[in-house]
Amino acid sequence: MKPNIVLIFTDNQQASTLGCYGNPEIHTPHLDQMAQDGMMFENAFCPNGFCSPCRASVLTGLMPSQHGVHSWIDDRNMADWPKNWHALDGLRTLPKTLRDAGYATALTGKYHLGEPTAPMDGFDEWCTLKDGHVRSFYRNTITENGQTYDHQGHTVDFFTQKAIAFMDAQAKAKTPFFLYLPYPAPYGHWPATQETDRCRFSALYDDCPMESIPRQALSKPAIEAFLMRRAQSGGGLDYSMGLRAPNDLPTLRNFYAQISMVDDGVGQIIAALDRLGLTQDTLLIFTSDHGLSNGQHGFWGHGAATFPSNLHRAAHSVPLLVRHPGQIAGGRRSGVPVSNMDVFSTILDYVGLPNDQGDMAVPSRSLTPLLTDRAEDIGQDAVFSEQEETRVVRTRKWAYFKRFQGAKDYPIGPELFDVENDPAETRNLVDDPACAKVLAVLDDMLTQFFDQHTRPEADLWRGGVPVQNTERRAFWQNAWGDDWQPVYRYD
């Protein structure tokens, strides 16, 4: 019988906010134990700094410049969407591939890739909340298998119980299952982290000094992004939190309390697998959609919270823990640079299915050789990311940010960091003559990668357009003309 797959996502969380990744103030006993029981990836990153693009990449194995989702899906425009619209329609997805291979499939949690009231193709069971941009951890509108209703309680507890009910049903039916459990927490953004509702872990942090959150001078690029986003959005979201949150103790303490809520949910999932006798039969993966700068570099937020966009380690790193007792040895750590996008190929390889995407080259790599001791590496020792006008290659030694140069009214330049000697990524070495050769090598790596892993209609650097939303409308119109606009589908 094929192994069950449980894929747990958090929402906006850099790796260093877990105890097993070295945070001394956080309470995450279940995830810390999961790290001991399986494989912990110390250098896991995301292909983009937003929820929707990263979720699309994990579910397809493709880069944003292939699947086309470059920014968060703006659910404020839901009334204008095509009927039953989903951003990944027409692409081969992880749930559809697994369902076609005989798996029962379920999504229980945050979707943020299209119409929440109609299931995305590939899922048998569908339970999600209305809001992709999480407004609250409580008081949410839920759609469950065609029925829409309001739920007052905490969404982490709610989706955990729905996930356990699905596992119970599949255990009785003796059907292999794929459970996708993307928690809408810890999130980190207002208004959710600013609400005064207390969860059962709030008291743990009432007196916490929050010294693991750095307080630094405000970043000029973050201020530039704040002004740009406010001008483009016309209001509706409070973007000032990116500048204010690192000094707002209630926000910080609530953020950590939500991380502990997620940890408790993971503990309940693990306990349910034990109770059902499925522990030895289940591959359990824990990661996040993308990182979140928690004050590092003078701002709070994701990759596009600055202009130009950044993918510093804080906004780029994610936790990645993988457990399968009896198949994956416990207590292991890997320093190989990997991407959470690699989850797509890893799961398919693990269960013996191909990871092809038709005529598109799949950048997602299988981590199975690392998990099962078949190899010490998985090919190129680098990961690649993109955030609209910024493209990044990251190795164990270097992080290189390349910027699009075709918008004449927005002059922006590249950055190069020696992450081995400057782990905080504070000294830009791009103009250092001693780094000229390595810069050329990294630039060539980026060029070759994106020459292979783009499709013309979705490649913003060559006049392509994004699906549904962009953070940089004025920037790209300056490069490609006023007719440049996002689309819902590619012709």
Side-chain angles (χ1 to χ4, degrees):
M1 184 173 173
K2 293 183 183 297
N4 307 307
I5 309 293
V6 177
L7 173 57
I8 302 177
F9 251 49
T10 55
D11 199 358
N12 304 1
Q13 185 177 11
Q14 64 167 286
S16 67
T17 56
L18 294 182
C20 54
Y21 283 90
N23 190 303
E25 293 184 313
I26 198 71
H27 177 77
T28 51
H30 300 293
L31 289 165
D32 298 345
Q33 186 61 50
M34 184 178 168
Q36 288 298 312
D37 293 341
M39 170 79 88
M40 175 175 142
F41 288 90
E42 297 175 313
N43 286 305
F45 300 96
C46 52
N48 183 282
F50 270 132
C51 296
S52 301
C54 290
R55 291 160 195 264
S57 291
V58 169
L59 294 179
T60 65
L62 301 174
M63 293 295 292
S65 285
Q66 294 175 298
H67 57 62
V69 183
H70 285 272
S71 185
W72 57 290
I73 299 297
D74 190 349
D75 51 26
R76 294 173 299 176
N77 300 324
M78 197 180 300
D80 299 327
W81 293 356
K83 183 176 175 59
N84 295 338
W85 174 75
H86 296 280
L88 302 183
D89 284 345
L91 294 173
R92 181 174 182 258
T93 65
L94 186 59
K96 188 174 189 307
T97 302
L98 291 170
R99 188 179 67 179
D100 290 347
Y103 277 76
T105 61
L107 177 144
T108 171
K110 172 177 164 175
Y111 175 46
H112 210 185
L113 281 170
E115 175 56 58
T117 62
M120 170 184 157
D121 188 21
F123 285 110
D124 299 316
E125 302 288 328
W126 183 260
C127 185
T128 191
L129 73 168
K130 176 182 177 182
D131 293 330
H133 178 81
V134 178
R135 274 76 172 177
S136 174
F137 300 114
Y138 302 85
R139 298 171 294 280
N140 280 278
T141 299
I142 302 293
T143 293
E144 182 179 6
N145 298 327
Q147 301 297 314
T148 298
Y149 56 89
D150 291 331
H151 175 72
Q152 299 300 309
H154 200 290
T155 50
V156 168
D157 286 336
F158 175 80
F159 288 123
T160 298
Q161 292 309 306
K162 293 297 179 181
I164 291 172
F166 172 75
M167 294 193 300
D168 280 342
Q170 305 319 310
K172 292 174 183 175
K174 301 188 183 306
T175 305
F177 61 82
F178 169 59
L179 169 62
Y180 179 41
L181 175 54
Y183 285 122
Y187 200 60
H189 293 301
W190 295 347
T193 50
Q194 208 175 27
E195 61 189 358
T196 57
D197 303 75
R198 289 174 64 82
C199 70
R200 59 181 171 277
F201 293 100
S202 296
L204 283 178
Y205 303 101
D206 281 346
D207 299 317
C208 181
M210 303 304 296
E211 292 174 351
S212 54
I213 301 293
R215 277 69 162 185
Q216 299 181 1
L218 285 181
S219 158
K220 184 177 183 296
I223 296 171
E224 293 290 342
F226 164 71
L227 296 173
M228 181 181 287
R229 297 179 81 195
R230 186 174 64 176
Q232 178 175 308
S233 71
L237 293 176
D238 187 356
Y239 294 114
S240 69
M241 74 148 297
L243 307 176
R244 296 164 57 193
N247 291 303
D248 188 87
L249 277 175
T251 293
L252 306 185
R253 289 168 174 161
N254 193 10
F255 180 60
Y256 273 28
Q258 304 308 325
I259 293 173
S260 292
M261 284 291 291
V262 167
D263 177 81
D264 188 65
V266 173
Q268 292 181 55
I269 295 296
I270 291 173
L273 290 171
D274 290 342
R275 172 177 58 81
L276 294 168
L278 297 176
T279 298
Q280 301 291 321
D281 302 318
T282 303
L283 176 68
L284 176 63
I285 301 174
F286 175 88
T287 188
S288 182
D289 53 1
H290 61 83
L292 192 77
S293 183
N294 303 142
Q296 295 90 351
H297 300 277
F299 70 97
W300 182 282
H302 41 63
T306 62
F307 182 78
S309 298
N310 78 91
L311 280 170
H312 286 299
R313 187 178 183 92
H316 195 188
S317 71
V318 293
L320 180 57
L321 309 174
V322 185
R323 189 194 83 151
H324 189 180
Q327 302 298 319
I328 298 172
R332 297 170 59 213
R333 296 192 172 205
S334 173
V336 175
V338 300
S339 171
N340 60 3
M341 176 178 64
D342 295 332
V343 165
F344 174 83
S345 293
T346 300
I347 289 175
L348 294 179
D349 183 32
Y350 203 82
V351 303
L353 295 172
N355 70 346
D356 64 279
Q357 281 287 5
D359 60 355
M360 284 189 286
V362 177
S364 173
R365 303 164 298 173
S366 174
L367 306 181
T368 301
L370 295 175
L371 296 171
T372 56
D373 285 329
R374 296 205 313 260
E376 295 182 359
D377 62 64
I378 50 172
Q380 192 172 53
D381 201 15
V383 289
F384 298 85
S385 305
E386 59 178 328
Q387 191 81 44
E388 298 212 24
E389 82 290 345
T390 299
R391 287 178 170 173
V392 179
V393 57
R394 184 179 287 271
T395 70
R396 299 193 204 209
K397 171 70 173 174
W398 301 100
Y400 170 47
F401 301 0
K402 185 175 183 176
R403 284 356 190 299
F404 177 78
Q405 298 296 306
K408 64 181 185 301
D409 294 337
Y410 296 87
I412 49 178
E415 295 178 81
L416 176 68
F417 301 98
D418 178 350
V419 297
E420 189 176 77
N421 295 305
D422 177 25
E425 300 173 11
T426 59
R427 292 186 297 118
N428 182 8
L429 301 176
V430 76
D431 294 323
D432 187 338
C435 297
K437 288 185 178 179
V438 72
L439 183 64
V441 170
L442 293 170
D443 192 80
D444 187 57
M445 288 172 65
L446 266 178
T447 298
Q448 290 187 38
F449 180 85
F450 282 100
D451 280 348
Q452 184 179 10
H453 299 111
T454 59
R455 58 172 171 164
E457 58 267 45
D459 185 356
L460 308 189
W461 286 41
R462 296 180 180 176
V465 294
V467 169
Q468 206 275 317
N469 191 24
T470 173
E471 279 292 295
R472 307 291 190 230
R473 188 183 303 267
F475 178 91
W476 293 115
Q477 287 179 338
N478 185 248
W480 303 121
D482 292 341
D483 291 338
W484 186 95
Q485 297 287 345
V487 297
Y488 283 99
R489 290 189 176 91
Y490 299 116
D491 294 331

